[in-house]
Amino acid sequence: LALAAHKGLDDAFTKRFSQVPLSESLFGKTATKRWILFSNNLDGDPDALHEKNHLNKQFSIPIGSGTRLSGVLYLKVDKEHERTPFQDAFLLTVGQTLASLIERKKAEIALQDSEQRVTLALKGGDLGYWDVNLVTGESVVNDRWAEIQGYAPNEVETSRDMWKRTLHSDDKEHVLRIGREYRAGRLPDYEAEY
């Protein structure tokens, strides 16, 4: 993941910055140390803004928590700015919050991709499904499951009783027994083929 913001930075600065080895830049040092760094005297530092911009102090904040690092947030401040412990704590929290948001977005994207693969597999296999939450009793079925059972999608009552009624008499006792043993903890997985 790479985020870049160059608002207000001229091309000469951007080019000069790209020539600084990562290990020597405030970014690289922050990424290595995983802690907020503050530089208050950047005169002559190739990682500094031009003096004409009146900015010569900067914070470099890790975006991450623990051993996970998603990036580095870089803030330029006015040369009269004085660093405080409160700012460090606040900026560290900002970095951790950004990391949480990035991880959440990655998880959302992975979930969407997974759901799309399942949907494609179900459609490709012309399969129906009945999904039940054993804790809440809530059930979800797809339209194909209703069709296989001879129902219109709007006729399906997603209850355990309806599911039991759809079991073939030859399979019913076997399937229900496996469910009881799974819920009692005697089976590691619920798997019933019928």
Side-chain angles (χ1 to χ4, degrees), residues 9-24:
L9 301 181
D10 61 33
D11 291 338
F13 171 78
T14 304
K15 182 178 180 184
R16 192 176 65 173
F17 179 80
S18 67
Q19 296 168 352
V20 176
L22 186 60
S23 62
E24 294 176 21

Side-chain angles (χ1 to χ4, degrees), residues 76-161:
K76 293 280 189 180
V77 294
D78 191 71
K79 59 185 170 185
E80 282 79 30
H81 181 83
E82 294 300 323
R83 181 182 186 187
T84 67
F86 173 78
Q87 289 172 344
D88 280 8
F90 175 76
L91 291 173
L92 195 57
T93 301
V94 167
Q96 291 168 344
T97 302
L98 286 172
S100 294
L101 293 171
I102 291 168
E103 290 303 314
R104 181 177 179 164
K105 188 63 178 175
K106 286 179 182 178
E108 287 174 4
I109 291 169
L111 179 60
Q112 289 170 350
D113 290 348
S114 179
E115 287 174 347
Q116 185 178 26
R117 284 191 295 276
V118 168
T119 299
L120 290 172
L122 288 168
K123 284 182 180 180
D126 198 27
L127 303 171
Y129 71 87
W130 177 293
D131 184 30
V132 63
N133 181 323
L134 296 176
V135 175
T136 66
E138 293 179 73
S139 298
V140 177
V141 300
N142 69 349
D143 291 349
R144 182 62 185 131
W145 183 89
E147 291 171 13
I148 291 169
Q149 300 300 325
Y151 296 101
N154 63 346
E155 296 175 322
V156 175
E157 161 198 339
T158 56
S159 69
R160 192 164 192 267
D161 290 336

